[in-house]
Amino acid sequence: MNVSQQIDTRAAASERNMADAIRFLAMDAVQKANSGHPGMPMGMADAVTVLFNRFIKIDPSLPGWPDRDRFVLSAGHGSMLLYSIHHLIGFADMPMVELSAFRQLGSKTAGHPEYGHALGIETTTGPLGQGIATAVGMAIAEQMMAARFGSSLCNHFTYVVAGDGCLQEGISHEAIDLAGHLKLRKLIVLWDDNRISIDGSTDLSTSMNQLARFRAAGWDAQSVDGHDSEAVAKALERARRTRKPSLIACRTRIGKGAASMEGSHKTHGAALGDKEIAATREKLGWPHPPFFVPSEIKSAWERVAIRGRMAREAWEIRLDASRSKKRYEQTVGRQLDGEFTELLTKFRAVHRKRASKVATRQASQMALEVINGATALTVGGSADLTGSNLTMTSQTQPISPGNFKGRYLHYGIREHGMAAAMNGIALHGGFIPYGGTFLAFSDYARGAMRLSALMGLPVIYVLTHDSIGLGEDGPTHQPVEHLAMLRATPNLNVFRPADIIETAECWEIALGEKNTPTVLALSRQALPMLRHIDGDENLSALGAYVLRGTRGARDVTLLATGSEVEIAVAAAERLQAEEGIEAAVVSMPCWEKFEAQDRSYQRQVLGDAPRIAVEAAGRLGWDRWMGPDGVFVGMVGFGASAPAGDLYRHFGITADHVVAEALKLVRRNSEGTPPISNRNGPQAGKDVVRTSEEA
């Protein structure tokens, strides 16, 4: 044996020991918790050890260093793989006590990796497929930053560990198709090809040739023995050189190393048991107690951090010497120019004077023209609906394969993939992503939108065609339940502006958010400018405000959002002119912002008079604002195919109907008689809305 062979043998032995440290930490943590997934960490320990020991560029002493490599554990159920590595390389918040508290309340080691819960976790994973799709956005952002600042400041890889489940989920197809099209060469996926699912062998449910699938999408694809360190290293070397995104299929055995359960689906999601772990210790020659790693193995892992710190320090020297340093730091920090707010204030003043009547989707594009001219941080896109969502402006040239200098992404008909990619762009840093589709198709994007809210990412969803007002496309395209679903999501601001003024205000608010995603629900149909109140204050920031007051005491309060505020105003004017009834109109562009106001302001806006809510959507959620005696004018079922005006009349969402309901409500209130809707339940009687036949 020559000297080089001796060195290779020692290196291989060291990496085997390093991988075994992961295996036993995973076994011990899951056993103590009596909950978790030991099989994947044990199976992928060899391949991931090679990745970290030889290639990855991270620095635990500065986890947020912008030019670090990103590591995404898409198969998030194998979280002990990540936590073990973080402990071994020295993340400050991952001492051994955290590993021993795996899956327990208050620990850093949650069942699945949670962004922001522990240092170095690049994204929340758990719902399978989200990690690989989010990583596509990270790789896009890396290419965009490199196009702006050069490879001396931005030159890193995004590595993903994905399982069979990640590749079976539909979102994975959207993600790999987009990545292959854009030639995201800095994206490398290590697939844990263990051919095991919870139910048993994967051939129970799939016969997919994944390598052929990835190659067809424009990826470089390789297959290696995932337990052969040198084979994995050679595959990674090739992947880092190719001009395409890369898949490395690591053929592994789930639960690798287990005394009698290696290769069994029983290791996927359950503790191995004390006897099996003891036998595995004997089999692998690991005579150490639970949660113990020998110092020489810990030192070997800590060299990963030393290498990363040296790379980071060299990068900081390059940054200090760069003429682009200030602009780079402003970009990474997502610092909006102070001119941005001033320009939007002027925009609102101009259109208030003009009384501009436009659809709020068009108002959105007009506001974006100002915004995109004032900042280069915004990156737009649409799921193949650019001409409908109106998300492109004169400044947003498209990104294309090999050209990442633009600011607009044609995501294709991939709503879920778009939402996940926007999460990745936001997580990477340097940009504020916004993307459009129809509000009804937020159903397709829902999984990634939920993660936007869970992670607290400043992602903006431009959701147009927000009601039956889209008309002839019919009930499949007419959102009815979607506003309620989105409003029920914690940490998500849902804006439904009534006119061009509110639309610009909502954009201003959305761009100022640091830890909350935003939905802009926008109309297809033109809406009149309703804001005649003087002043530059952003009233939409209050969530709700009195748009039309009364001359004296209120007889009734009309609550509305979006396109129905126009209906409420028309009804209020008729009630006053024809019946002498004083009706205040409250525009409620954002329930979440209004809920955050103090009680005195809420009482001032809502008043003590009986209330009617008007919205071309389902009732769910409105009762807390209408009060116990309130009446709802809106949808109680799905829509229909017809011109918008005909639909509003058909479903009784009209000023005539609001006037009729207000008269009944005011008369009952004056007589001291509870309204029908209060006596017979929230959806009973004609006080809710006329049925199709009645309309």
Side-chain angles (χ1 to χ4, degrees):
M1 181 182 295
N2 60 37
V3 174
S4 63
Q5 288 174 322
Q6 291 175 344
I7 293 171
D8 288 344
T9 301
R10 287 198 298 270
S14 174
E15 285 184 338
R16 280 198 301 273
N17 290 332
M18 292 168 72
D20 283 344
I22 294 173
R23 290 188 173 99
F24 283 102
L25 289 174
M27 279 186 273
D28 292 340
V30 173
Q31 183 65 25
K32 183 175 181 185
N34 195 28
S35 172
H37 301 76
M40 192 280 270
M42 296 173 70
M44 280 298 286
D46 295 315
V48 173
T49 295
V50 172
L51 171 64
F52 274 78
N53 191 44
R54 305 193 196 187
F55 297 98
I56 208 161
K57 182 179 68 174
I58 58 173
D59 180 7
S61 70
L62 196 65
W65 163 39
D67 200 37
R68 69 192 180 279
D69 288 338
R70 270 64 170 177
F71 178 73
V72 174
L73 188 66
S74 189
H77 54 275
S79 57
M80 272 308 303
L81 176 71
L82 184 63
Y83 302 145
S84 298
I85 291 171
H86 279 202
H87 167 74
L88 291 165
I89 64 177
F91 275 86
D93 66 341
M94 202 56 66
M96 192 67 83
V97 67
E98 290 291 346
L99 272 60
S100 66
F102 180 52
R103 286 183 165 230
Q104 304 309 301
L105 184 65
S107 75
K108 297 287 185 182
T109 48
H112 293 81
E114 302 288 351
Y115 171 75
H117 194 64
L119 298 174
I121 296 176
E122 299 288 359
T123 183
T124 294
T125 57
L128 294 176
Q130 288 291 335
I132 187 173
T134 303
V136 169
M138 294 177 179
I140 290 170
E142 190 275 339
Q143 295 283 81
M144 292 177 66
M145 288 290 284
R148 285 158 178 72
F149 296 101
S151 59
S152 66
L153 296 184
C154 189
N155 185 16
H156 54 264
F157 286 87
T158 301
Y159 296 101
V160 181
V161 168
D164 293 298
C166 294
L167 302 191
Q168 287 181 39
E169 287 286 358
I171 191 175
S172 74
H173 183 77
E174 299 183 22
I176 69 169
D177 191 6
L178 180 60
H181 170 71
L182 291 175
K183 296 182 172 26
L184 299 177
R185 61 186 181 87
K186 295 291 191 68
L187 176 62
I188 299 175
V189 175
L190 286 79
W191 167 35
D192 181 18
D193 181 17
N194 61 32
R195 303 179 192 179
I196 292 293
S197 66
I198 292 176
D199 285 352
S201 172
T202 54
D203 63 16
L204 290 169
S205 58
T206 182
S207 303
M208 177 67 70
N209 183 331
Q210 293 289 0
L211 271 73
R213 176 189 176 211
F214 275 76
R215 286 170 183 149
W219 288 55
D220 182 71
Q222 312 171 64
S223 182
V224 300
D225 179 349
H227 304 302
D228 182 335
S229 297
E230 293 309 314
V232 172
K234 288 178 182 177
L236 282 165
E237 287 281 13
R238 169 175 154 178
R240 287 162 59 91
R241 291 193 304 266
T242 185
R243 309 300 294 178
K244 302 176 180 179
S246 291
L247 173 74
I248 303 174
C250 300
R251 184 70 179 96
T252 62
R253 289 179 63 78
I254 193 170
K256 172 68 175 175
S260 65
M261 297 173 68
E262 179 180 308
S264 170
H265 72 278
K266 293 179 181 178
T267 68
H268 173 84
L272 301 186
D274 290 329
K275 289 183 179 179
E276 180 72 9
I277 293 175
T280 302
R281 278 186 157 80
E282 184 174 350
K283 174 187 174 182
L284 297 183
W286 189 270
H288 310 295
F291 301 107
F292 178 83
V293 178
S295 58
E296 64 273 16
I297 297 176
K298 185 72 160 59
S299 295
W301 273 106
E302 288 170 347
R303 284 196 287 272
V304 175
I306 293 170
R307 187 182 71 237
R309 188 182 70 246
M310 292 172 63
R312 187 257 301 170
E313 290 171 347
W315 174 85
E316 288 176 338
I317 291 171
R318 295 195 301 275
L319 177 63
D320 286 338
S322 173
R323 289 178 295 180
S324 302
K325 179 181 180 181
K326 181 177 180 181
R327 184 167 61 91
Y328 178 88
E329 291 178 336
Q330 288 174 337
T331 300
V332 169
R334 286 194 285 248
Q335 296 177 21
L336 288 166
D337 194 308
E339 185 184 39
F340 146 80
T341 301
E342 181 183 342
L343 288 172
L344 281 179
T345 301
K346 290 179 179 177
F347 173 88
R348 295 197 300 269
V350 167
H351 289 284
R352 186 163 57 241
K353 186 175 182 180
R354 292 178 183 171
S356 300
K357 180 178 182 179
V358 294
T360 51
R361 61 174 176 148
Q362 185 178 352
S364 169
Q365 185 183 45
M366 294 162 70
L368 273 171
E369 187 69 32
V370 174
I371 292 163
N372 290 338
T375 178
L377 294 176
T378 46
V379 176
S382 173
D384 199 52
L385 288 166
T386 295
S388 295
N389 301 147
L390 302 179
T391 41
M392 182 179 276
T393 65
S394 63
Q395 305 89 351
T396 52
Q397 298 305 305
I399 288 166
S400 60
N403 180 9
F404 288 84
K405 292 183 178 179
R407 293 171 58 190
Y408 195 84
L409 282 153
H410 290 286
Y411 286 104
I413 308 168
R414 305 183 184 101
E415 293 88 356
H416 203 179
M418 175 181 72
M422 288 198 294
N423 285 344
I425 291 169
L427 286 162
H428 179 277
F431 303 103
I432 301 173
Y434 67 89
T437 186
F438 288 179
L439 178 57
F441 302 150
S442 62
D443 285 339
Y444 287 161
R446 167 67 179 160
M449 293 180 73
R450 183 173 185 267
L451 291 188
S452 300
L454 181 59
M455 290 188 277
L457 303 179
V459 175
I460 301 171
Y461 296 94
V462 181
L463 303 180
T464 68
H465 297 62
D466 68 346
S467 71
I468 59 171
L470 73 87
E472 291 86 344
D473 277 341
T476 58
H477 286 51
Q478 293 167 5
V480 173
E481 72 277 25
H482 299 74
L483 287 170
M485 177 268 291
L486 293 167
R487 286 167 176 160
T489 304
N491 193 41
L492 177 66
N493 288 334
V494 181
F495 290 93
R496 191 164 183 251
D499 64 4
I500 190 170
I501 306 302
E502 285 191 0
T503 303
E505 289 179 336
C506 293
W507 264 111
E508 181 181 335
I509 298 162
L511 289 166
E513 293 290 352
K514 301 297 184 184
N515 303 299
T516 305
T518 298
V519 163
L520 298 174
L522 305 172
S523 73
R524 175 180 185 264
Q525 69 273 36
L527 302 178
M529 198 283 294
L530 299 170
R531 176 79 67 77
H532 299 288
I533 302 169
D534 292 330
D536 295 332
E537 183 182 1
N538 187 325
L539 297 178
S540 295
L542 299 169
Y545 63 96
V546 177
L547 175 68
R548 182 189 185 279
T550 58
R551 294 174 181 172
R554 292 188 201 178
D555 297 311
V556 65
T557 298
L558 308 181
L559 313 174
T561 74
S563 46
E564 287 70 69
V565 177
E566 174 189 9
I567 293 172
V569 169
E573 290 173 350
R574 281 186 49 193
L575 284 166
Q576 185 183 64
E578 298 172 10
E579 306 291 340
I581 291 175
E582 293 293 337
V585 175
V586 173
S587 179
M588 301 188 72
C590 184
W591 291 9
E592 295 77 22
K593 292 293 185 182
F594 186 55
E595 194 170 31
Q597 305 305 315
D598 60 50
R599 290 289 182 87
S600 62
Y601 178 75
Q602 291 178 357
R603 286 194 296 268
Q604 174 190 337
V605 170
L606 295 174
D608 297 322
R611 302 168 201 152
I612 298 175
V614 192
E615 189 172 67
R619 175 173 182 150
L620 188 64
W622 269 109
D623 287 272
R624 64 174 160 162
W625 306 124
M626 297 186 321
D629 298 333
V631 172
F632 180 70
V633 174
M635 299 294 291
V636 293
F638 293 109
S641 177
D646 293 345
L647 290 172
Y648 272 88
R649 287 186 291 273
H650 177 73
F651 290 108
I653 308 174
T654 63
D656 286 345
H657 189 194
V658 175
V659 166
E661 296 297 336
L663 289 173
K664 287 188 286 185
L665 191 58
V666 170
R667 287 165 186 162
R668 288 184 191 127
N669 190 58
S670 64
E671 295 167 2
T673 306
I676 293 174
S677 62
N678 191 40
R679 294 202 307 265
N680 297 325
Q683 291 284 6
K686 295 181 181 179
D687 280 346
V688 178
V689 66
R690 288 179 289 185
T691 64
S692 299
E693 291 77 12
E694 289 172 325

